[in-house]
Amino acid sequence: MARYMIAALGLIALSACQLDLSGLETGPSPLPAPAPQPPVVSTAEMRDACARAAQDQGAAVLSIGSFQTVTGSGGREIGTTTMMRVTQPNGTTLDVRCSYSFGDEIARITLT
């Protein structure tokens, strides 16, 4: 009889503990929003943009290397970079870096 009494007291104690589940969603949890995709820019377009950027600085392009993807926070693709060999009007040959940004679609030339 003592066992029944303990079980009854346990049920009474558990019934006093109520959870309010009314604010919870009953459907599946929403999936996180997909990361924005970089714009589709062909290698030819990036090469042209880099060549124009070099020409705007008065250099003639001798060669353009392979483009490597540049990632930002969270692994999101934000642009590309490549090495270029250019020659200046005075005949000096330089190795420079061309960075192409997907955000503003601009190529920038910097010395390495």
Side-chain angles (χ1 to χ4, degrees):
M1 179 135 152
R3 275 199 300 191
Y4 295 117
M5 187 68 111
I6 293 173
L9 288 174
L11 287 174
I12 293 170
L14 285 176
S15 67
C17 299
Q18 296 180 3
L19 295 175
D20 181 17
L21 301 176
S22 62
L24 297 177
E25 293 183 27
T26 57
S29 60
L31 296 175
Q37 296 297 313
V40 178
V41 181
S42 72
T43 301
E45 290 173 304
M46 290 184 287
R47 290 176 75 80
D48 289 345
C50 287
R52 279 193 307 276
Q55 290 167 354
D56 289 347
Q57 294 183 16
V61 177
L62 299 175
S63 65
I64 300 176
S66 299
F67 286 91
Q68 303 298 315
T69 301
V70 176
T71 56
S73 61
R76 193 180 71 132
E77 294 180 5
I78 60 171
T80 62
T81 185
T82 189
M83 295 302 296
M84 297 173 52
R85 180 158 286 190
V86 298
T87 185
Q88 296 180 313
N90 65 4
T92 305
T93 300
L94 298 171
D95 290 322
V96 296
R97 178 177 308 278
C98 178
S99 300
Y100 183 87
S101 169
F102 293 145
D104 56 13
E105 299 180 356
I106 293 177
R108 292 173 179 82
I109 304 294
T110 55
L111 291 174
T112 56

